[in-house]
Amino acid sequence: MRDVFELKEVSKVFSHNTVLDDVSLTFKRGELHALVGENGAGKSTLIKIISGVYRADRGRLFLNGEPVQFMNPSDAQAAGISTLFQEIQEIPEMTVAENIFLRREPRYPGTFLVDRKKLRQSAKELMERLGLKIDTSAKMRELPVSTRKMVEIARAVSQKASVVIMDEPTANLNAEEMQALFQMIDDLKKEEVTIIYISHRMNEVFSLADRVSVLRDGKLIATMPGEECNEERLIPLMIGRELNSLYPARNASRGDAVLKVKDLSLGEHFGNVSFTLHKGEVLGFAGLEASGASAVTKTLFGLCGHPTGEVVCGGRKLNIKNPAESIRNGIAFLPEDRKTQGLFLNQNLLTNITAGALDSLFSKRAILHNRFERSQSGEVVRRLGVKTQGLHEHPDELSGGNQQKVLLGRWIIGSHKVLILEEPTRGVDVGAKSEIYRQINSLAEQGLAIILFSTEMPELLGMCDRVLVFSGGALTASLPKEEATQELVLKYALERHVS
Amino acid sequence: MAVLKSILPKALFKKRPYIREYKNEIAISLLIIVVFVVSQFLSPVFLSADNLLNLLRQTAYTAIAAIGMYFVILIGGIDLSIGATVQIVGMVSIMMMVDGVSIGVTIAAALAVGLLVGLLNGIIVTYGRLQPFVVTLVTRQIMQGIVLVASGGASISGDVPDTFMQIGAGYIGFIPVPVVVMFVIAVAAFFMMRKTTFGRRLYITGSNQTAAYYSGTNVRRVKVLAYVLCALFATVSGLLSVARIGAFQPTTTHGGAAGMELNAIAAVVVGGASLSGGKGSIVGTLLGAVLYGILSNLFPLIGISSYIQQLIQGFIILMAVLISSKGKILRVLRKEGAKVA
C-alpha cells in the first residue's frame, strides 16, 4: 500500500488554545483509518484541516507525495477529498437527486442549463449501484433522519474521491442502514479509496479499521493495526488514565412499582404496550427506527397527544396531554437532542437548571425564590462536576459532556418519580460518559425509576436491569440483565421487520 | 453597542464575571453620558430644566410602548400594530370623553380595546402559526381602516374634561404624569422579569421554544400573553399622549403614533435585545428609549432638520440590528476579504 495522504508536523491554535500539536500522520491507499479520542482531542479539527475548512498554522499536507494547500473546502473536493460531516448538510426543499449532485449537476453540453433527465437517471443508477432503496425524486425534508444521512453518505461516496472522510457516519442510522453503509465502505476499499473514519462507537472501530490512531489533547498518542485494538487497550490511551469500568456497578434494590403501563396504544405508532417500572430500576428501551421504543417514551412524557390505554404513576391514573402535565405527575424527560430540545443556549446555567421546576420548587404564588435557585443550581453543578466558571456562564461555552450534565441537572432537582433518558450519552466523550453513568446509578440508588432509551447496545446491556425490546410498534421481549445479549436483543428487534 | 463593548477593558469582565451580564446596559449608560457632555457644547438650551423635563416626557411615551414591545421581541416575535393601537385607543377615548362618559369607564374601555387587540394578535400568531410580522402588519392595516371609517377621516375634538387632560399634561410635584407612569411601569416590569415565573418563562420561550415546552412551559399561553402585554402598554402610552392634546387627529396622528412601532423597536434593539429572541433587559430597553429620546430632542436644538432626523433614526435601527446579530455580517465580510487576499 502506498501513502495517499500525509500530514507533517501539523499544528493549529485557536485563541491561545492549541488544539492540534505537531501531528504527523500517513493514510495509506485503500485503508480504513480510524481516528479515536475524547471530544476536544482534536479529531474534528484534524479532518477540517484535511477537508479545507481550516488551514493549519504550521506543518504541511501531501497528497500522493505532492505538497498541497487547501484554501477552502472546494479546493479539497477538487483534489479528490470528499467529506461526510457529522451534521447533515442537505437542502431540505430539494429532491434526493438534486442534493446528491449539488454544485456538480450534469449540464446540457455547452450550456449552463441543468440536464434534469440525466440528473434523475444518474441518481437512480447510483442508488442501484449502492444497493439503497431510496426514492430519488422525494424531497429531503420528507425523509426520516436516517434516510437523509444515507443520501449524504451516497453523495460523499459518489464523488469519485481518493479520500473519503466520515465523521460519525453511523449516528442516527438503524441496523439495516448500518449494514448498507458497511457494504459501501467495503466496496470503496476495493476501489482503493482511503477512508478516514471517526466514531465514538468502539465496536465499529474494532471491526472496520485497518489502522487506528489515538488523539488526546491535540497530540497523536499512538497508531496501531486494527486487529490489535480492544477497549482495554484504547480507552486508557484516549483518556490518559485507567478507567475501571465504563459501566460502574449499582447498589440499587428494586422497590415498589412506580409506573404501570397497560395496553398503551397510539395510532399506527405502537399498540398494546404493557409494562411495570419499579423504584430504583433502570429499564432499557431498545428498538430500530420506527420500532415504537422512542414513541412510547415520548408519549409517556406527553409529546404525542392522547394515547389510549392506562398509565398509573405513583398510584394515580394519568391523563396524558402535555409535558407540563407529565412533569406535574412526576415524569421527567431528557431529550435526545440537547441543543435543539433541551438547552437554552443563550441563558445562564441557573436558568437552564431550574427551568423544569419553576412552579413546583422555586416559586410561591408565581414569585421566584432567587436565592434558593442559586443555591440549588450551585449544588447541582458541584454534584455533577460540571466544568464551568460559574452559574453566569451560558451552555454554549461548555463542552458537549458538560452541557449534557447541565441538562441532567435540570431533572435531578425536584421530586420526580420517573426519569426518561433518551440517548443520554450521544456525542459525549468517554470521560463524561462514565460520569453520566455514575449519576444515573446514583439516581437509581436514591429510588428514582429510570427509562433509558438508547441506540447504543453496549450502553443498554451495561446499564439496564431489564431491556424491553420493541419491533414494528409492539413490545416483543422483556429481557432481564442476565439474559440480555446483543444477539438476543437484535433478534427481537428484527422480529416484526418483514422485509 | 459592540464598539463600546470593545472599549470596556476585557479584564473588567474577567475579574467580575457578572458585569458581563450587564455589559449592554453599561455601554448604553456610558454613551448617554457622552451625549450629555457633548450636547452641553452643542446647545445651551439642552441642559435647561424645562428641556430636560420635556425630554423625559417625550421619552416616556416611547419607553412605555418599548417595554411592551420588549416582551414580544424577547419571545422572538414583533408587533408592528402598536401605532395603530395607539390611534384606535385615542379615537375611542376622545369619542367617549366628548360624549360625556366618565373617565373611569373611558380608561377601562380603552384598556379593553388594547386587550382585545393583543389577544387577537397573539392568538392569530400562535395558534395560526403565522409570521408575527405579517399578522401584525395586517391587524395594523385593519385598525387604521377602522379609525378612518369611524372618524370619517376628520379630527375629533370637543369638551374634554380637565381631569382627563391632567393624565397627559399634569404634574406630580414637578414631574410630568407620563414620566411617573413610565417609572411605575418600568419598576413593575423589572420586578416581573426578575422575580416571577412568568418573566422566566418569557426568557426561556424566547431562547428555545421546544426546550421551554419540554421543560413544562405552556409556550402558547406565554406567547399570547406577551402580545397582550405589548398591546396594553401601547394603550397606556396612547392614553397618555391623547390626554395631553385632548383631541384626536386620524391622519397626522399625535405623538408620532404612525411611527410608534419603529421607535419602540429601536429602543428595544438599541437596549441590547436580539430580534431572534431570548436576549435583552428592561433596564436596557429603558436606557435605549432614553438614548433615542435624547437624540430626537437634541437634533432640532442643534438645527438638524426633521427630515434628516428620520434618516438618522433609520440608520440607528439598522446599526443596532446589525450589532445585535453579533457582527455576523462583519464576520462574513472578513471571510470574503480573506479569500480575496
Side-chain angles (χ1 to χ4, degrees), chain A residues 301 303 322-324 327 339-344 346-347 351 354-355 358-359 363 366-368 370 373 392 397, chain B residues 17 20-21 191 194-198 200-201 203-204 207-208 210-217 277-279 339:
Chain A
F301 188 58
L303 290 171
N322 58 37
I327 292 169
K339 279 192 180 159
T340 64
Q341 302 168 331
L343 291 166
F344 306 109
N346 64 2
Q347 305 293 318
T351 302
T354 62
L358 287 178
D359 290 325
S363 66
I367 304 293
L368 289 167
N370 292 115
E373 276 192 294
H392 62 272
E397 293 160 310
Chain B
R20 209 180 56 157
E21 287 188 44
F191 177 80
R194 201 33 82 90
K195 286 291 285 179
T196 70
T197 50
F198 177 66
R200 184 65 59 77
R201 293 195 192 284
Y203 271 121
I204 63 175
S207 175
N208 185 343
T210 312
Y213 184 64
Y214 279 32
S215 45
T217 292
K279 259 182 72 184
K339 251 185 215 168

Side-chain angles (χ1 to χ4, degrees), chain B residues 84-114 146-147 150-151 155-161 163-165 167-168 234-249 254:
Chain B
T85 310
V86 166
Q87 278 185 306
I88 208 164
V89 163
M91 181 187 74
V92 168
S93 52
I94 290 294
M95 278 177 166
M96 290 176 84
M97 283 281 97
V98 171
D99 279 355
V101 180
S102 79
I103 293 180
V105 174
T106 304
I107 292 177
L111 290 173
V113 170
I146 293 173
V147 166
S151 67
S155 57
I156 305 168
S157 58
D159 195 15
V160 172
T163 34
F164 184 67
M165 300 280 287
I167 299 174
T235 304
V236 172
S237 175
L239 272 173
L240 290 171
S241 57
V242 80
R244 188 174 177 211
I245 299 161
F248 173 74
Q249 293 165 310
H254 48 271

Side-chain angles (χ1 to χ4, degrees), chain A residues 56-183:
Chain A
D57 295 329
R58 273 187 290 118
R60 291 195 292 167
L61 312 178
F62 297 89
L63 183 65
N64 298 319
E66 301 286 319
V68 285
Q69 201 175 6
F70 302 139
M71 303 303 280
N72 52 48
S74 20
D75 281 2
Q77 249 171 44
I81 295 174
S82 149
T83 309
L84 172 69
F85 286 104
Q86 205 171 341
E87 291 85 25
I88 295 176
Q89 313 268 320
E90 94 274 354
I91 298 173
E93 285 302 318
M94 287 188 162
T95 65
V96 170
E98 284 165 338
N99 267 287
I100 289 177
F101 292 101
L102 199 63
R103 283 190 291 273
R104 51 193 181 99
E105 296 86 353
R107 310 283 160 132
Y108 287 111
T111 68
F112 55 87
L113 300 170
V114 175
D115 186 345
R116 300 200 155 270
K117 208 167 151 196
K118 200 170 163 201
L119 178 85
R120 282 193 294 270
Q121 193 76 38
S122 326
K124 251 190 209 135
E125 281 167 15
L126 177 70
M127 289 300 170
E128 265 162 41
R129 185 161 64 83
L130 298 177
L132 295 176
K133 292 186 205 84
I134 298 175
D135 177 10
T136 52
S137 59
K139 283 198 174 144
M140 282 297 253
R141 68 171 158 79
E142 296 162 354
L143 302 172
V145 179
S146 61
T147 313
R148 301 209 303 259
K149 189 95 191 191
M150 290 310 281
V151 172
E152 194 92 345
I153 293 169
R155 176 168 81 181
V157 168
S158 71
Q159 287 176 357
K160 295 204 179 73
S162 55
V163 178
V164 176
I165 303 170
M166 299 183 174
D167 191 356
E168 296 280 359
T170 54
N172 302 323
L173 294 192
N174 65 34
E176 278 168 70
E177 287 158 336
M178 269 191 227
Q179 279 314 315
L181 169 68
F182 297 153
Q183 184 59 47

